[in-house]
Amino acid sequence: MLGLLFIPLLPAMAQEPGRTVDDVLALYADKVQRRLQPRFLFADVDWPPRQVSLVAFKDTRLMELWALSDSGWQHIKDYRVRAMSGRKGPKLKEGDRQVPEGEYRIELLNPNSAYHLSMKLDYPNEFDRQQAQQDGRSNLGGDIFIHGGGVSSGCLAIGNTAAEELFVLAAMIGQDNVSVLITPRDYRFRPLQSVSPDAPAWVDDLHAKIADRLRLFPLADKR
């Protein structure tokens, strides 16, 4: 879900220190299962699933949850991204307030987030570092999270209920079984467009790769 711009914490958003992932599961797992299991059963996907993917669209501030079944990826649910900063285009440096673009993994589950619960992305990933070296860039930033609450700078804020669902799901199936695809727009029905004349030359190729990856998640399978 960038260097995270410091935002003063609201008292209601702070968590008691020392809470563990197991503590979060004890608090929310039953509730999350009651909400999500019927959706997985409707999509003919086992609960808990063996692998899920989150697909986030910058332009519409929508995040789709997909789960892998024997017949391919099945759409489970949509979430509204309540806050993100920046514009079309990947994150290039610390402090640019851009949400990165590309495919990422969950690096860390944070049960003590100031924004209820959070999941850290592995930005910068190998691709990001390679392009930065090619461009001669350094200080790429980091600490990119998908988190609860409704404010964010460089991360993706999805609200507390959604954060509970995705955090618990990731904890249940293992964070290595969760992928996150962040795209500037929905290339399943919208054409590729150049970002801007001054964008690095590799950005258009990145968006073409994202568009190709999106073919795994067909619109026709959204219920």
Side-chain angles (χ1 to χ4, degrees):
M1 188 150 118
L2 344 184
L4 179 62
L5 184 68
F6 177 76
I7 300 174
L9 303 182
L10 299 176
M13 299 172 73
Q15 301 292 345
E16 292 296 326
R19 189 165 70 165
T20 68
V21 172
D22 285 342
D23 292 334
V24 172
L25 289 174
L27 282 170
Y28 300 114
D30 288 345
K31 179 170 63 174
V32 166
Q33 178 169 322
R34 287 195 297 270
R35 290 200 298 256
L36 287 185
Q37 187 174 23
R39 291 180 175 268
F40 280 84
L41 294 177
F42 180 73
D44 198 23
V45 179
D46 291 338
W47 175 268
R50 63 178 185 266
Q51 190 174 342
V52 300
S53 186
L54 302 174
V55 183
F57 303 93
K58 282 186 173 181
D59 60 343
T60 58
R61 294 194 173 190
L62 187 71
M63 179 180 291
E64 297 176 353
L65 171 62
W66 293 75
L68 189 61
S69 71
D70 292 338
S71 57
W73 289 97
Q74 307 299 323
H75 177 254
I76 304 298
K77 185 176 181 179
D78 291 342
Y79 296 96
R80 179 61 56 192
V81 178
R82 297 190 178 187
M84 70 168 73
S85 61
R87 59 190 184 280
K88 182 180 179 182
K91 181 173 181 61
L92 299 177
K93 62 182 179 180
E94 174 76 29
D96 62 6
R97 302 182 68 187
Q98 282 289 99
V99 173
E101 294 174 356
E103 188 162 23
Y104 296 93
R105 311 300 300 185
I106 300 296
E107 186 174 75
L108 175 73
L109 298 176
N110 179 13
N112 296 295
S113 173
Y115 300 93
H116 191 49
L117 297 167
S118 65
M119 303 183 296
K120 185 180 181 183
L121 304 185
D122 67 341
Y123 171 88
N125 61 18
E126 183 178 358
F127 177 85
D128 297 316
R129 292 191 295 269
Q130 287 176 347
Q131 302 312 311
Q133 184 177 24
Q134 176 182 304
D135 297 345
R137 289 182 287 110
S138 59
N139 194 20
L140 305 186
D143 288 341
I144 310 304
F145 290 86
I146 298 171
H147 61 69
V151 294
S152 184
S153 179
C155 298
L156 295 95
I158 58 174
N160 290 353
T161 298
E164 291 166 11
E165 292 185 0
L166 298 182
F167 186 103
V168 166
L169 188 56
M172 290 178 66
I173 69 174
Q175 62 197 49
D176 291 341
N177 294 310
V178 182
S179 62
V180 181
L181 183 66
I182 305 176
T183 175
R185 63 201 318 229
D186 193 341
Y187 294 125
R188 294 172 298 188
F189 71 96
R190 301 184 67 184
L192 286 163
Q193 290 182 339
S194 295
V195 177
S196 68
D198 58 347
W202 52 266
V203 174
D204 287 344
D205 184 56
L206 169 63
H207 290 172
K209 291 178 179 178
I210 291 173
D212 185 64
R213 183 67 175 168
L214 275 171
R215 292 173 185 165
L216 292 173
F217 312 106
L219 282 172
D221 286 352
K222 289 192 64 172
R223 299 167 187 262

